[in-house]
Amino acid sequence: MLLKNKNAIITGASSGIGKQIAKVFIQNGANVAIIATSMERLSQAKKELEDIKKDPNQKIILKDIDVSAYKDVEEKFNEILKEFVHIDILVNNAGITRDNLLLRMKEEDFDRVIAVNLKSIYNTCKVIIRPMMKARKGKIISISSVIGQIGNAGQTNYAASKAGILGFTKSLAKEIGSRNICVNAIAPGFIETKMTDELDENLKKQMLQNLPLNRLGKTKDVADLALFLASDMSDYITGQVINVDGGMVT
Ligand code: NAP
């Protein structure tokens, strides 16, 4: 029970990695606010979380928020704050892909990926750091990607957004470290989710050949690191990017 009585907000928690992070947090005693755009998928995720609660008093709040829209984030995060009173942990996980070679990439697809994957982190952190600073504690964890470190043909928008998270994380860690707030990023490699299901089979085979651990990652591999970074066990770690990638980037 590493997160007993802690309050966490997790964006993009209706599926994949974000849902698994919510599960691991719930199993460790946290109250969670889960965020996504579709209330239907959030309600389904809530059912799964209710089934694994450790204590009947653990709270699960759902909010349909487009994390790329500042006003939406501000209004609904304040509603969450009213209910939780303080937020101990923010996990910025929501993300999308709109892949194409740059020659064919539409401006709207570049802009949308930057807005959902990167601008969103400005939005959520801007709202949440003030109460965290007052409380003189907090953990902020953002989900980047190995693609932000090594690039990938067809993903200039995605790679730029994920690389941006790294610079943002290191800068914010320096700004608010003195207030006892730790800001870190996780760079997953290829994890088995809806996002990687859509990848071309040949590309997947090629990826596996270059992976020392020779398997795709599981959402739990990422969620367990998020648990560590959210817990008191990581209180002296900030401004770091930790890879969960089977050895892909060394
Ligand atoms: P996923 O299964 O597609 O989940 C994405 C989540 O983000 C969903 O809950 C989705 O819910 C939510 N979302 C999308 N747009 C949103 C918006 N505008 N506002 C709020 N929520 C939004 O993806 P995943 O594979 O678990 O990926 C999770 C994160 O890990 C992403 O940031 C991704 O870039 C990163 N990552 C994944 C891999 C991988 O191999 N899977 C590798 C490296 C990094 P709604 O659609 O209902 O909004």
Side-chain angles (χ1 to χ4, degrees):
M1 297 283 267
L2 288 176
L3 305 181
K4 197 166 168 38
N5 298 328
K6 302 231 185 212
N7 301 323
I9 297 179
I10 306 160
T11 72
S14 62
S15 77
I17 293 170
K19 184 162 78 179
Q20 187 61 40
I21 292 173
K23 284 185 176 172
V24 170
F25 281 17
I26 281 282
Q27 283 165 333
N28 278 274
N31 300 306
V32 297
I34 58 173
I35 314 289
T37 58
S38 154
M39 194 43 103
E40 201 185 321
R41 282 194 287 272
L42 279 174
S43 302
Q44 181 53 43
K46 184 179 182 197
K47 277 189 204 144
E48 294 176 39
L49 296 174
E50 290 286 357
D51 286 346
I52 56 170
K53 271 190 345 191
K54 293 288 165 192
D55 173 343
N57 295 322
Q58 268 177 286
K59 286 186 187 159
I60 301 166
I61 300 177
L62 315 185
K63 290 283 174 201
D64 54 337
I65 304 178
D66 176 354
V67 288
S68 70
Y70 182 78
K71 284 279 165 220
D72 204 16
V73 171
E74 186 182 41
E75 184 189 317
K76 291 179 182 151
F77 270 37
N78 281 328
E79 291 170 8
I80 297 169
L81 265 165
K82 267 198 194 129
E83 196 151 344
F84 278 168
V85 184
H86 66 274
I87 302 296
D88 302 285
I89 304 153
L90 166 66
V91 182
N92 292 308
N93 164 80
I96 57 166
T97 51
R98 296 271 168 87
D99 297 352
N100 220 330
L101 296 172
L102 186 62
L103 273 176
R104 296 195 203 117
M105 188 179 289
K106 294 198 183 92
E107 186 182 1
E108 69 206 49
D109 288 338
F110 189 87
D111 288 348
R112 187 66 190 148
V113 168
I114 297 291
V116 175
N117 296 6
L118 181 59
K119 166 69 172 15
S120 62
I121 291 175
Y122 163 86
N123 296 340
T124 58
C125 290
K126 177 91 191 217
V127 174
I128 226 61
I129 59 169
R130 200 180 295 279
M132 278 187 177
M133 283 163 81
K134 269 197 188 150
R136 293 203 158 260
K137 63 173 182 171
K139 304 276 189 176
I140 297 174
I141 301 154
S142 300
I143 308 299
S144 174
S145 167
V146 289
I147 301 305
Q149 299 169 320
I150 60 175
N152 195 20
Q155 292 199 305
T156 49
N157 50 359
Y158 184 78
S161 72
K162 294 298 183 180
I165 290 177
L166 305 183
F168 184 100
T169 296
K170 287 172 185 292
S171 303
L172 188 61
K174 288 184 175 168
E175 283 184 25
I176 59 180
S178 63
R179 307 297 177 99
N180 197 29
I181 302 168
C182 298
V183 190
N184 292 294
I186 297 177
F190 284 89
I191 309 297
E192 283 171 357
T193 63
K194 199 174 72 200
M195 197 177 262
T196 44
D197 278 353
E198 288 162 10
L199 288 176
D200 177 73
E201 279 306 315
N202 282 335
L203 181 71
K204 271 197 213 168
K205 266 190 203 150
Q206 227 180 319
M207 292 291 179
L208 280 180
Q209 274 168 9
N210 297 322
L211 267 185
L213 291 183
N214 204 28
R215 67 166 174 89
L216 291 184
K218 298 193 181 307
T219 53
K220 192 168 179 308
D221 295 319
V222 181
D224 285 345
L225 176 59
L227 170 65
F228 170 72
L229 290 174
S231 77
D232 299 344
M233 289 173 75
S234 60
D235 278 355
Y236 200 55
I237 300 177
T238 195
Q240 303 303 308
V241 180
I242 304 177
N243 283 42
V244 181
D245 65 0
M248 186 192 297
V249 179
T250 51

